[in-house]
Amino acid sequence: MVVARTVVEVEGAVVVTKETMVGGGVYHWSETAFIADIVQKVYCELDLKLLSTPTDLTGIETRAKGINSWLKYKQPSSPVLAICGMGGSGKTTLAKYIYNSNKENFECSSFLEGIKDQPSVMLTLQKQLLRDVSGNNIMISNLSEGAFQIEKVIEKKRVLIVIDDIDDKDTLNSLVGTNVFHTQSKIIITTRDLSIHTWFGSISSGCYVHEIELLNDHESLELLSYHAFGCKVPMKGFKELAIQLAQCCEGNPLALKVLGSSLSEGQGTRIETWRSTMNSLNSLKGDINNKIQGVLQKSFDTLPCESHRELFLHIACFFLGEFEYYVKSILEDDYHAESGIVTLINRCLVTHPRVSGDKLAMHKLLQDMARNIVRKDSKDPAEHSRVWRDDECKTLLRNGDGSKTIEGLVLNMLEAEEGMRSETATVLPLGKPLCRCVYRSTPFTLTTIMVDWLIATQTVLNSLKFLDLSFSYKLVSICNLHRLPKFVVLNLSGCISLSHVCKTIGYHKNLSFLSLVECTRLWKALSNQKCVNQLERLKALCICGGTPEQPLFALPQSVSWLTLSHSSFEILPHCVDFKMLQSLCLNCCPNLESLSCLPSTLKMLRVGWCTSLERITFQSARFTLQVFDYEGCFKLFEIEGLFKLLSIEKVDEADLGHMRWIKAYKDYKVDLVGDVITQGRTWNIQMLYEFGIRSTYLQGIKDQSMATHQYTSSSKFLSFRVPLHPKKHKIHGLNVTALYRSSGGEDRYPLFARISNRSRGVTWVYSPVVYCKPRVDEDVVWLSYWPTGNLLDAGDDVYVDILTEEGTIIISGYGASLVYKDGGEVEEKNEEEVIGGDLSRFEVTKGGYYLCRRDFFNSIIPAIFFGDNIHITDSRRWRTSSPITPFEDLIISETPIRVYKCKVTLGVNFSSESEIKKIEKAVSSVPGVESVSNAKEIGRLIVIGRFDHQAVVTCVREFRKMVQVLVREFFEF
């Protein structure tokens, strides 16, 4: 007789079964049934109580990783974690997955769902929680008693509690109490409220907020395909439609499941059904599956007040893509938008503006849900509170319907049908306050706007704050603006025929934003009038396209944000008052040569494609700009307080000290990179001035580069102790040289030089704004002078090294030498932001200075620079002034930066084909040249690109007998 024992491992427990007599006939079970029976018995003994989860857990492991790590911390700073997100984003599924994966690591656990703010429901949940964590049926008769009992239990045990879908602080307190938990207990909450951390003032030390990440495009396609086709890839012929439908759901798992399941039923495998579904989702009707609508609408229904609900509907129907500041200014009086938008963001109904360019945005499904709410009571648009579809708006305006219900409508006349252009529109006497009127006109319509034609009732006029008549090309006159006493924004951009605005515009005390872009006829009419100057509260003014022949009218002193782009003046007009100016936009002013003494109040400056601009100075030497754009400024060499680039030929020999020898190489070329200032230019050797440090780069030069240094090293760093000078002269600074070359790897070479005085605990990490792009086969010599002053003295231990991204640059060697003061030199106090001056804005740890104004590491300062004791990790800390008011963004949105290319037409003698090829090759080598086309039949070479036209002129001088520069111009692309 043979006796066998079957050993089964279940959930980590090893179980030895009863003996089975093989051949004896005592037990005669099949092996499968026998093991299944054992598994069932062990499962019951262990009492796992695992929760049911979907089989399609796409992306779940990635999203659970951070929370699983938090659960393993034995003593975290907070025992509570909230999983936050919009409805249908997978919060419950993630919570269940984490619960199943981690419950066995705790003494006891409980998962609470189906929470409602009803005493009977809450009492039932309290009893369940007590039973789960204590193992006993503890009798309780009311919520206060239940909360007390729960506190007693969970402060003594290491428990895991998950509470699903909670949106009220009092409800949470009823379930877990307000006392401090057991040090190793963990509570996970799922909620739609991002401000949940504010609930926990009395519980331990707060709450971690984990905002759930929606599915990416690949995961979305996989989940949709699973529910539509039963596999993770689309059926043949359906891939493109599946990708488009998945994108419509914008990563929301619930929407992807519901949509995929609906397409798997009946005729779902027909391509026509998928196209029809696609068309339905792309319509503006707000069509949405009822199941999805119900889940999403809970967030809307639980908003604390009616004004928040109305605000959400207004944003969803009219204001998506608009700047937050401007929406607040329009809707504050009626809907308390300042606080309301914060509530909508916290409830995951509106995306935080910081991730959407300061503009209001929301998930497409939420927008559809909002529109469904507006439309649900009636199919007749005249009965709706808001109308956003052009066809419905045109019908209402034709018929004069909806006067008692409509609060807002939008009609895009650029897309209006041809037939409506010749119709006489019926005045719609709106019965409710209208806050925004947008009229996008075609070139064929709208010759005169009179406010009493647009809107007939005084009630409407009293509420109107935004009037957009931009690009009404045939508009010539605007009258009766006194009928709009509260309007804040007037946009007349592109009204090229407009020549008259009634003088009552000067009486408007609330007008803050006025755009007159390309209104050249109007400027002539207003140049001798004082009406605009009388606007005492005007903050933002956009005027583009001015010329010296058309002087600007006097500007109100209240203007803080000014746009004068696409103008042809050489210096700023005398009418510009700098006293209050915070934002100045001068993009594409090709004749502007310099900007002098700009005010320290200025926070934003845009001078992109000012191709003649050479120098910018400020009233204060301290650089205070927060936003600065100077792309395409091919002649710009100095920005005071930021940096200066000067050709070695122009540098005084006295400033070069022991580096005078580099003057001999003044005509050598160097490949400078690292900043937009380097684009479109050919560089001779330059001297860079930044933070008081002087730097230059030599390419392909080997002699003398290290010969004059006191200390050298061929290792990864250089260190030395400062000796006492024989004449006891004080140290003026430190000359440092580094040799580097490309490793042949990634073409990205940010350089960081670190100099530490370890005796005094001072470290500077400096990244130059421009640097020489290295080659694989030769060293670049980086010579620099650091004015350390009294921060370096005899006996100090100095450490020098260059930090680069791994695999990009090889450091070949270092050299350093001390520079001493003459005996009679007197030390002067330096208030500038330079080494030896005031670098407090760049101090990130005691004695540690991060001298870099570029964001290489997503605003984080790597620990490798200063160790782990960085107390300020934000690499943008030097921007210490207050945040920019979003009015600047409104200005930029109304006057977009037009990117221009340069076109140079050359007249060429085509008698010699070989010479023509030489000319083409020479011109093509100019940085920024994109194409050189040969029009042989008319004797022309056409050069196009983003380059300095003067560089082309210089390039063809050697061919002056054959080439003549005929035309230089810019064009928009």
Side-chain angles (χ1 to χ4, degrees), residues 230 233 322 375 515 544-545 604 693 758 892 906 917 930 954:
V233 293
E322 303 287 359
R375 299 170 58 89
S515 179
C544 298
M604 183 177 82
I693 301 169
R758 296 188 168 180
I892 298 306
L906 304 174
K917 289 183 178 180
E930 297 174 5
T954 303

Side-chain angles (χ1 to χ4, degrees), residues 156-174:
K156 297 177 182 178
K157 285 190 173 184
R158 184 171 180 266
V159 300
L160 171 63
I161 301 173
V162 178
I163 305 173
D164 183 46
D165 199 10
I166 193 167
D167 55 20
D168 182 73
K169 178 181 178 180
D170 294 334
T171 304
L172 177 66
N173 291 343
S174 295

Side-chain angles (χ1 to χ4, degrees), residues 687-734:
M687 182 67 77
L688 170 65
Y689 298 82
E690 189 180 16
F691 296 111
I693 301 169
R694 297 200 300 264
S695 297
T696 192
Y697 303 89
L698 308 178
Q699 206 164 16
I701 300 174
K702 297 180 180 180
D703 57 325
Q704 300 193 57
S705 59
M706 302 287 282
T708 59
H709 286 301
Q710 294 172 263
Y711 311 100
T712 58
S713 171
S714 58
S715 65
K716 293 182 178 181
F717 63 91
L718 168 68
S719 62
F720 61 91
R721 177 165 291 177
V722 178
L724 182 65
H725 191 272
K727 297 182 180 180
K728 296 185 179 180
H729 287 176
K730 289 188 176 181
I731 295 172
H732 197 288
L734 185 66

Side-chain angles (χ1 to χ4, degrees), residues 303-321:
L303 286 170
C305 54
E306 183 65 21
S307 65
H308 291 163
R309 288 187 281 275
E310 292 297 315
L311 176 64
F312 171 73
L313 296 178
H314 245 52
I315 291 173
C317 293
F318 303 126
F319 291 100
L320 291 181

Side-chain angles (χ1 to χ4, degrees), residues 371-389 391-393 395-397 399-406:
R371 290 176 169 179
N372 228 17
I373 291 172
V374 172
R375 299 170 58 89
K376 70 177 180 179
D377 294 331
S378 173
K379 293 183 178 180
D380 183 3
E383 299 297 324
H384 298 161
S385 61
R386 298 158 179 88
V387 182
W388 57 89
R389 294 182 62 191
D391 57 341
E392 294 177 348
C393 290
T395 300
L396 293 176
L397 290 171
N399 302 333
D401 296 333
S403 61
K404 295 182 180 179
T405 56
I406 292 179

